[in-house]
Amino acid sequence: MKLGVLISGRGSNLQALLAAKKEERLPLADFRLAVSNKPDAPGLDIARSFGLRTAVIDGSKYRGRRAEHDRAIDQVLREHECEAIVLAGYMRVLGAEFIAGWRNRIINIHPSLLPSFPGLHAQRQALEYGVRTSGCTVHFVDEGTDTGPIILQRTVPVLPGDTEDSLAARILVEEHHAIVEAVALLSQGRVNIEGRSVRVSSGGRVG
Ligand code: GAR
């Protein structure tokens, strides 16, 4: 499966994917390119260090023209023959037209147990709410904010004295497992959407 990865910043989830690919844990995932909406995203250097092509579609040049920005991203993904998209720390909202054009072919990783704490600052929201367990979710992207069908989730405890940073770091470790496992399942064609639910068909061990 030919994949494009969208990033906005640090790129540690992208790194987890590319390292898994290098270690032959994602044999059916063909990463075609990484696209960033920020020209200075450190994740771009990570992509390059793995020999992955990169593209920058600078969001600041498209202020107030989201649909045009989306179309530029769509074009570069199609030029690289992508069949599905992984949002790996992509912090910009994609428009309805873009999502419709990639229906059930975009997955996102989010640092909370959805449907709790969608949107920005998920870890801070979890701490402020006082939950005892948090984690991460990989889900399909629909037109809502972090509302699409859930592929998998991993949990972590929230510990006494946790700060936003300490909780985020604990969740991030699980994110890196979750995103690799989800891409493995997706690329193996084992992820089936049935209404709001995702059924994972059986197969060998992954991730
Ligand atoms: C990750 O924690 C990811 O879950 C989060 O941004 C971080 C990106 O880190 N994404 C969102 O909050 C999306 N709503 P990374 O650039 O090191 O992969």
Side-chain angles (χ1 to χ4, degrees), residues 111-193:
S112 77
L113 296 177
L114 292 171
S116 293
F117 316 128
L120 294 177
H121 309 299
Q123 303 93 335
R124 188 189 307 167
Q125 293 183 58
L127 277 180
E128 286 175 355
Y129 195 91
V131 294
R132 305 296 298 270
T133 301
S134 189
C136 61
T137 303
V138 183
H139 63 94
F140 283 104
V141 172
D142 65 10
E143 282 80 357
T145 302
D146 302 321
T147 51
I150 290 171
I151 302 169
L152 58 89
Q153 296 182 297
R154 292 175 75 102
T155 61
V156 302
V158 180
L159 301 177
D162 257 341
T163 61
E164 196 178 337
D165 284 350
S166 65
L167 179 59
R170 194 174 307 118
I171 293 172
L172 194 63
V173 173
E174 299 307 316
E175 289 188 40
H176 297 161
H177 294 296
I179 199 161
V180 171
E181 185 176 357
V183 167
L185 293 171
L186 191 72
S187 61
Q188 291 166 359
R190 291 171 54 197
V191 181
N192 308 290
I193 302 179

Side-chain angles (χ1 to χ4, degrees), residues 9-13 88-91 108-111 119 123 146 172 175:
R10 181 177 54 189
S12 73
N13 278 290
Y90 187 67
M91 304 307 281
N108 178 48
I109 184 143
H110 182 77
Q123 303 93 335
D146 302 321
L172 194 63
E175 289 188 40

Side-chain angles (χ1 to χ4, degrees), residues 1-3 21 25-30 83 183-184 187-189:
M1 176 179 279
K2 300 185 181 89
L3 296 164
K21 176 70 192 172
R25 289 187 283 129
L26 289 173
L28 299 181
D30 176 6
E83 297 164 304
V183 167
S187 61
Q188 291 166 359

